[in-house]
């Protein structure tokens, strides 16, 4: 290995140790059951789980990687750099229904961004028992935030100025949490020096191995020989990999000389001064004498799992009912020892028991032994109960008659055996994906692009796909709406193909049947001469049909040949129906959006009324989510010998919101042109909106300004408070009285406040889209805008200019360049010029 390679491996080891230490500390800080750290990956849009403490890694596989734009708390904490605290399942369902659909259990969770120099490096997360209604048992988030800050500082120091190296592209390290109490089985610890192979062991390890101190203290090989003579090579390889920074993701399962099971867990060297040492733990998962004496004679089965899913105890009855020899259960993961219990529904129950304090009960059908053929042996139906403790999951299993199973109990038959000659199926997608998750994600997607992005984020990772193409039908031709993963230009010849073309993407739509090819050879044989984008790989062509009408077709590409099980084909076909309905909705949306945009452009002011002593500047930015057009507006209207400054926000988006906005703007202009007092303008507009009864309400701020004196009278209807920057550079939030929003109470009163706009002062009116951020109190956003106004005005003054245009651009710069704007943004600025002959 080259010097640079060794350095990289050691850096990865130090990175792993920092992440593991922070995750285990987070458990105690937040009183959690499970913790972990997500880091950026080599793919800019993906976060990967680097460390998982307290839960078997395979049980959390659906969340090993997350797209940064997925509606998940981890993604929000990372993108926005904010804390996300979900005290219980109710709050999780309300804010993140897609996460709740995948983990429908009673638990709370906390997500803290790990800060970098420029942006977040990752997210520290803890899953914990759900908080009570009073919230008294909710941990102080600031303590966990401080831990995330400390981790960020350590990671930045490790990166030594190059934070781009802080990425994680492998599987997560799965770590057993610190024991809440002494474990009832023998545990020994040791350290190993990679440079000299010297081993230092504690007394408990000597006792566990039946060795006297110093017997194997010379080399790692001697330790491996004493630990598991038949697995010396495996142990030495694991020690070397751990020293290089890549410890085994799960504890190693090895066998002692007498055949008994042992577990070996390794940690990479810590980033500390001195010799880097590998730390190890050896665990003998055989039952403690007290446990065996108590549970071995019981007629019902009892077995225990640690929090990484390893069987640490099983009584004879459990071994018999589970159909395994007792020695083959101990020390193995439940997935390995009892593979039929790793089916998706049962994994859900185990997840629930590990995350929630409530016992879990369910019925299963044990598959018949091969020796019994298809006959059902007595006791095939089993009733399982899971009871979680601080360190272990205790499971009881008893025979259950099929008739006695409650009607709402989940029962699933074992998978059918593949027929001879069937191609090997790919990894089961069921644990990774649920149709309900895609359905929930699609509810927020309204454009064809947004639908395609959701499919890319949700569908490809679930099935292990690497390529996606979505075609939509227009006038009997298919046009590409989205592609990812295909070679550049490969799909160009297929653009606009007619429905008479003999192509799998066309025929899947015209026949309404999905088409699956387990290899490129099979695809070429079925469609000779068709251009191929790869020499190997499987392909799935899915028809997009909604309400019996063709919408388009979807193509999934895989890097390698693979089979498609009956379950996968059925689920993919069902998912194609969900995609088709979402695309059909998106096409209707596009038509409505075009109408709404045209209506909005016609209603917004083309120019603002001017006055020799007043300068104004306005900005409007449509939201990028939903209809892209809404009801925000601003206006400047001549009011007698003064000016009326107006800003408002109609609830909702789309044609209706834009139309309501136009009606309100016309009403306010009419009242202003008549120079009506601000309270009468608000009251009259309120009654008009109620009479129109559009089912909407609006906020509004109306300010009547005397340009000569700067005297202003203001009325507010549920709108955000204005900001005022004084000529000396101080900016403040004007805490003015106000009334309820327009369109709610026909008898509402709107108090009028007075203020003075001095020459060179800047008044700012704005809508909530400029200051509201997910997961953050709106007062924080208003405070940030106040600071930005003070700085922007100061910058304009230093350059000797008084134009508000630059100030308006600076205040909206962040929103203007944001990829996602959840809401519209409107801003109106005004300033008075000094009177002629007066100093500026």
């Amino acid at each position: 290995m080259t010097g640079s390679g060794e350095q990289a491996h050691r850096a990865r080891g130090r990175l792993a140790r920092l992440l593991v230490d922070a995750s285990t500390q987070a458990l105690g800080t937040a009183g959690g059951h499970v913790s972990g750290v997500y880091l950026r990956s080599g793919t800019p849009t993906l976060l990967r789980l680097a460390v998982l403490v307290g839960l078997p890694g395979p049980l959390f596989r659906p969340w090993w990687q997350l797209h940064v734009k997925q509606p998940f708390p981890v993604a929000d904490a990372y993108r926005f750099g904010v804390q996300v605290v979900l005290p219980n399942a109710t709050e999780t369902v309300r804010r993140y229904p897609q996460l709740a659909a995948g983990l429908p259990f009673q638990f709370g969770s906390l997500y803290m961004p790990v800060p970098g120099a420029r942006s977040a490096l990752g997210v520290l997360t803890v899953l914990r028992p759900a908080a009570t209604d009073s919230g008294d048992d909710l941990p102080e988030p600031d303590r966990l935030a401080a831990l995330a800050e400390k981790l960020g500082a350590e990671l930045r120091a490790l990166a030594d100025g190059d934070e781009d190296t802080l990425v994680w592209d492998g599987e997560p390290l799965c770590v057993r949490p610190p024991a809440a109490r002494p474990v009832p089985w023998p545990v020994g610890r040791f350290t190993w020096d990679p440079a000299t192979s010297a081993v230092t062991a504690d007394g408990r390890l000597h006792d566990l191995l039946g060795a006297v101190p110093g017997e194997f203290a010379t080399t790692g090989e001697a330790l491996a020989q004493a630990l598991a003579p038949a697995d010396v090579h495996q142990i030495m390889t694991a020690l070397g990999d751990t020293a290089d920074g890549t410890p085994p993701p799960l504890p190693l399962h090895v066998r002692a000389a007498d055949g008994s099971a042992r577990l070996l867990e390794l940690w990479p060297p810590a980033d500390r001064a001195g010799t880097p040492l590998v730390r190890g733990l050896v665990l003998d998962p055989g039952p403690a004498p007290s446990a065996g004496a108590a549970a071995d004679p019981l007629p019902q089965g009892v077995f225990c799992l640690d929090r990484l899913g390893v069987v640490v105890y099983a009584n004879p009855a459990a071994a018999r009912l589970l159909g395994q020899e007792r020695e083959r259960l101990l020390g193995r993961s439940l997935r390995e020892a009892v593979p039929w219990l790793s089916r998706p529904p049962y994994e859900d129950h185990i997840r629930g028991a590990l995350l929630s304090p409530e016992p879990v009960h369910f019925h299963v059908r044990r598959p018949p032994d091969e020796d019994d053929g298809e006959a059902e042996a007595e006791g095939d139906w089993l009733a399982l109960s899971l009871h979680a403790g601080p360190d272990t999951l205790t499971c009881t299993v008893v025979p259950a008659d099929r008739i006695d199973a409650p009607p709402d109990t989940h029962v699933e038959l074992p998978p059918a055996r593949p027929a001879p000659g069937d191609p090997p199926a790919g990894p089961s997608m069921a644990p990774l994906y649920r149709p309900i998750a895609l359905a929930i994600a699609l509810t927020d997607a309204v454009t064809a692009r947004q639908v395609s992005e959701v499919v890319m984020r949700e569908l490809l990772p679930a099935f292990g796909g690497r390529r996606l193409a979505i075609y939509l039908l227009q006038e009997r031709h298919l046009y590409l709406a989205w592609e990812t993963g295909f070679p550049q230009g490969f799909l160009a010849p297929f653009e606009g193909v007619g429905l008479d073309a003999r192509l799998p993407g066309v025929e899947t739509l015209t026949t309404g049947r999905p088409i699956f090819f387990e290899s490129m050879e099979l695809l070429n044989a079925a469609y000779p001469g068709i251009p191929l984008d790869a020499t190997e790989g499987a392909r799935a062509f899915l028809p997009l049909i909604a309400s019996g009408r063709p919408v388009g077709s979807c193509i999934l590409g895989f890097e390698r040949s693979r089979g498609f099980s009956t379950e996968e084909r059925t689920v993919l076909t069902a998912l194609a129906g969900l995609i088709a309905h979402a695309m059909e909705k998106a096409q209707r949306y596009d038509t409505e959006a075009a109408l709404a945009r045209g209506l909005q452009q016609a209603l917004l002011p083309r120019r603002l009324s001017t006055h020799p002593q007043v300068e104004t500047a306005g900005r409007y930015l449509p939201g990028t989510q939903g209809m892209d057009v809404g009801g925000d507006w601003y206006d400047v209207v001549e009011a007698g010998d003064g000016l009326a400054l107006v800003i408002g926000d109609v609830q909702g988006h789309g044609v209706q919101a834009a139309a309501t906005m136009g009606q309100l703007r016309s009403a306010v202009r009419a009242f202003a042109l008549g120079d009506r007092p601000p309270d009468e303008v608000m009251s009259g507009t309120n009654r008009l909106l109620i009479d129109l009864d559009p089912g909407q309400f609006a906020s509004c701020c109306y300010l009547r300004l005397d340009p000569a004196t700067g005297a202003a009278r203001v009325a507010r209807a549920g709108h955000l408070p204005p900001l005022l920057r004084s000529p000396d550079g101080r900016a403040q939030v004007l805490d003015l009285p106000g009334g309820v929003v327009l369109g709610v109470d026909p008898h509402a009163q709107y108090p009028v406040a007075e203020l003075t706009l001095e020459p060179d002062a800047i008044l700012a009116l704005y809508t909530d889209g400029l200051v509201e951020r997910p997961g953050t109190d709106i007062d924080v956003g208003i405070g940030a805008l106040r600071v930005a106004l003070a700085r922007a005005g100061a910058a304009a003054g230093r350059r000797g200019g008084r134009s508000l245009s630059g100030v308006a651009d600076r205040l909206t710069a962040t929103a203007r360049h944001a990829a996602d704007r959840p809401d519209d943004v409107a801003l109106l600025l005004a300033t008075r010029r000094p009177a002629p002959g007066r100093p500026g």
Side-chain angles (χ1 to χ4, degrees):
M1 182 181 294
T2 65
S4 60
E6 291 179 0
Q7 186 177 8
H9 279 289
R10 290 190 182 279
R12 180 179 171 83
R14 292 193 294 270
L15 172 62
R17 173 47 47 195
L18 290 176
L19 300 179
V20 169
D21 287 348
S23 299
T24 52
Q25 290 178 46
L27 282 182
T29 299
H33 291 324
V34 180
S35 65
V37 177
Y38 283 86
L39 279 189
R40 299 178 300 188
S41 70
T43 303
T45 57
L46 284 181
L47 298 175
R48 289 189 183 274
L49 183 62
V51 170
L52 179 65
V53 179
L55 194 70
L59 286 186
F60 212 69
R61 185 182 292 272
W63 301 275
W64 279 11
Q65 66 179 32
L66 293 172
H67 196 281
V68 295
K69 291 187 178 180
Q70 275 185 278
F72 275 75
V74 169
D76 281 356
Y78 173 78
R79 289 170 58 208
F80 301 114
V82 298
Q83 304 176 11
V84 179
V85 178
L86 304 174
N88 48 45
T90 301
E91 186 70 5
T92 304
V93 170
R94 186 184 71 82
R95 296 178 58 185
Y96 297 98
Q98 194 172 340
L99 174 64
L103 295 170
F105 315 117
Q106 290 295 330
F107 70 95
S109 53
L110 302 93
Y111 308 84
M112 300 293 160
V114 178
R118 301 182 302 274
S119 60
L121 303 174
V123 177
L124 176 64
T125 180
V126 176
L127 309 184
R128 64 177 305 279
T132 60
D133 293 339
S134 65
D136 293 339
D137 55 343
L138 187 67
E140 178 59 49
D142 290 345
R143 295 176 56 201
L144 192 62
L147 187 58
E149 290 273 359
K150 177 175 177 289
L151 175 60
E154 293 172 336
L155 292 178
R156 293 194 298 273
L158 178 64
D160 194 22
D162 186 9
E163 294 184 6
D164 292 338
T165 62
L166 296 173
V167 297
W168 193 275
D169 284 311
E171 294 186 357
L173 301 177
C174 299
V175 180
R176 181 176 289 103
R181 56 192 179 197
V183 294
W185 47 82
V187 176
R189 301 179 185 275
F190 68 91
T191 60
W192 177 68
D193 186 343
T196 64
S197 194
V199 171
T200 302
D202 65 6
R204 283 181 293 180
L205 181 58
H206 289 92
D207 294 340
L208 189 153
L209 298 180
V212 296
E215 184 172 341
F216 53 80
T218 53
T219 65
E221 289 85 350
L223 170 63
Q225 185 69 31
L227 177 62
D231 298 311
V232 172
H233 177 71
Q234 180 186 9
I235 294 172
M236 294 307 301
T237 300
L239 285 170
D241 290 344
T242 303
D244 288 338
T246 54
L250 293 173
L252 289 179
H253 169 258
V254 296
R255 293 283 173 182
D258 61 0
S260 61
R262 283 172 177 163
L263 298 178
L264 174 63
E265 197 163 351
L266 301 173
W267 291 272
D271 187 16
R272 299 186 179 95
T275 304
L277 301 177
V278 171
R279 292 187 293 164
L281 176 149
V282 178
L283 182 146
D284 183 351
S290 59
D296 278 4
L298 293 178
Q300 67 263 39
V302 178
F303 63 99
C304 299
L305 311 176
D306 70 4
R307 294 199 69 86
L308 289 188
V310 174
V311 181
V312 295
Y313 168 74
N315 71 353
R320 175 176 54 81
L321 290 169
L322 295 177
Q324 286 286 5
E325 296 178 2
R326 190 178 183 185
E327 56 268 24
R328 290 185 58 82
L329 288 174
L330 297 177
R332 294 191 174 191
S333 71
L334 188 65
R335 293 173 60 88
E336 178 187 7
V338 192
W340 49 270
L341 271 180
S342 65
R343 300 280 289 164
Y346 311 146
E347 289 193 334
D348 268 350
H349 293 306
I350 297 172
R351 258 195 301 265
L354 288 169
L355 292 176
S356 175
E358 298 298 323
V360 175
H361 311 280
F362 60 100
H363 285 66
V364 301
R365 178 181 181 269
R366 187 186 67 193
D369 296 333
E370 293 187 6
D371 295 340
D372 296 335
E374 295 301 318
E376 292 186 6
E378 182 180 356
D380 268 356
W381 293 95
L382 305 175
L384 271 74
S385 296
L386 313 180
H387 304 265
D391 304 311
T392 58
L393 184 66
T394 301
C395 314
T396 63
V397 53
V398 296
D401 187 88
R402 184 197 309 244
I403 300 176
D404 293 335
D408 59 345
T409 299
H410 186 95
V411 177
E412 179 170 309
L413 296 177
R417 297 171 182 171
D422 279 358
S428 173
M429 41 60 63
L432 307 182
Y433 195 77
R434 301 175 176 195
I436 190 173
L438 179 62
I440 292 173
L442 287 173
T443 57
D444 293 328
V446 293
T447 68
R449 180 178 182 83
Q450 290 171 345
V451 171
S452 301
E453 287 178 340
V454 168
V455 175
M456 179 190 69
R457 294 196 308 259
E458 303 293 338
L459 200 62
L460 287 185
F463 290 87
R466 292 293 181 269
R467 302 180 183 186
L468 170 71
I470 296 178
Y471 284 85
L472 296 181
L473 182 64
Q474 297 179 20
E475 298 180 352
R476 297 187 59 78
H477 289 77
L478 288 172
Y479 295 92
L480 186 65
W482 180 274
E483 68 165 307
T484 184
F486 286 93
Q488 186 174 5
F490 172 76
L491 297 177
F494 304 104
E495 180 71 2
V497 297
L499 294 185
D500 56 349
R502 190 173 185 275
L503 295 169
V506 173
E507 293 188 359
T508 189
L509 180 61
T510 56
T511 63
R513 296 192 302 271
I515 305 174
F516 298 93
F517 295 101
E518 288 136 2
S519 67
M520 297 302 283
E521 291 80 6
L522 292 175
L523 173 59
N524 190 43
Y527 294 89
I530 185 174
L532 302 177
D533 60 303
T535 58
E536 62 175 338
R539 293 292 181 269
F541 297 84
L542 308 174
L544 302 182
I545 299 175
S547 304
R549 294 188 296 274
V551 175
S553 58
C554 176
I555 304 171
L556 292 179
F558 303 84
E559 291 298 316
R560 295 179 177 83
S561 300
R562 72 188 297 277
F564 296 92
S565 66
T566 301
E567 181 184 24
E568 286 181 306
R569 293 174 187 240
T570 301
V571 172
L572 278 171
T573 304
L575 294 177
L578 292 176
I579 298 168
H581 280 283
M583 280 296 185
E584 184 185 46
K585 181 184 70 173
Q587 289 175 321
R588 291 197 304 268
Y589 159 83
D590 288 337
T591 301
E592 182 181 354
L595 174 61
R597 277 191 288 269
L599 177 60
Q600 185 187 47
Q601 290 173 0
L603 292 175
L604 284 173
R606 296 181 181 273
R607 65 179 183 85
L608 300 177
S609 298
T610 60
H611 190 281
Q613 289 181 258
V614 178
E615 180 183 357
T616 58
R619 295 291 184 270
Y620 174 81
L621 301 172
T624 60
Q625 298 178 9
M627 184 53 69
D628 287 349
V629 289
D632 291 22
W633 92 96
Y634 61 86
D635 208 349
V636 179
V637 189
E638 295 180 7
D641 57 356
L643 286 180
L645 308 177
V646 189
I647 197 162
D649 182 1
V650 177
Q651 169 251 344
H653 294 79
V655 174
Q656 183 62 56
T660 303
M661 178 268 284
Q663 292 170 315
L664 294 184
R665 176 174 176 263
S666 298
V668 172
R669 285 185 67 89
F671 287 126
L673 290 171
D675 202 12
R676 302 280 290 276
D679 55 335
E680 293 185 17
V681 174
M682 289 293 93
S683 297
T685 307
N686 177 51
R687 288 191 294 271
L688 173 66
L689 182 58
I690 292 174
D691 290 342
L692 291 173
D693 192 22
Q696 293 175 302
F697 57 85
S699 67
C700 186
C701 182
Y702 181 94
L703 183 146
R704 201 278 188 188
L705 174 66
D706 183 343
T709 65
R713 305 181 73 228
V714 189
R716 287 196 304 142
H719 203 81
L720 298 174
L723 300 179
L724 180 63
R725 182 187 185 276
S726 303
D728 62 5
R730 291 180 296 111
Q732 60 178 314
V733 180
L734 300 179
D735 186 13
L736 306 177
V740 299
V741 292
L742 305 175
V744 175
D745 180 6
H747 305 292
Q749 299 295 315
Y750 297 95
V752 176
E754 297 183 352
L755 59 92
T756 300
L757 184 64
E758 300 177 14
D760 287 335
I762 299 176
L763 178 74
L765 307 179
Y766 53 95
T767 57
D768 55 6
L770 188 59
V771 294
E772 199 167 31
R773 297 292 180 269
T776 304
D777 191 272
I778 196 169
D779 289 338
V780 176
I782 295 175
L785 181 62
R786 179 189 62 79
V787 174
L789 176 62
R791 292 173 178 172
R798 285 195 300 269
R799 285 191 290 271
R802 295 192 178 93
S803 172
L804 287 189
S805 181
V807 177
D809 287 339
R810 282 189 289 275
L811 295 182
T812 56
T814 300
R816 188 168 59 251
H817 294 106
D820 293 310
R821 285 191 299 273
D823 201 357
D824 306 337
V825 171
L827 173 69
L828 179 61
L829 302 180
T831 187
R832 286 178 63 225
R833 299 187 180 98
R838 293 181 57 188

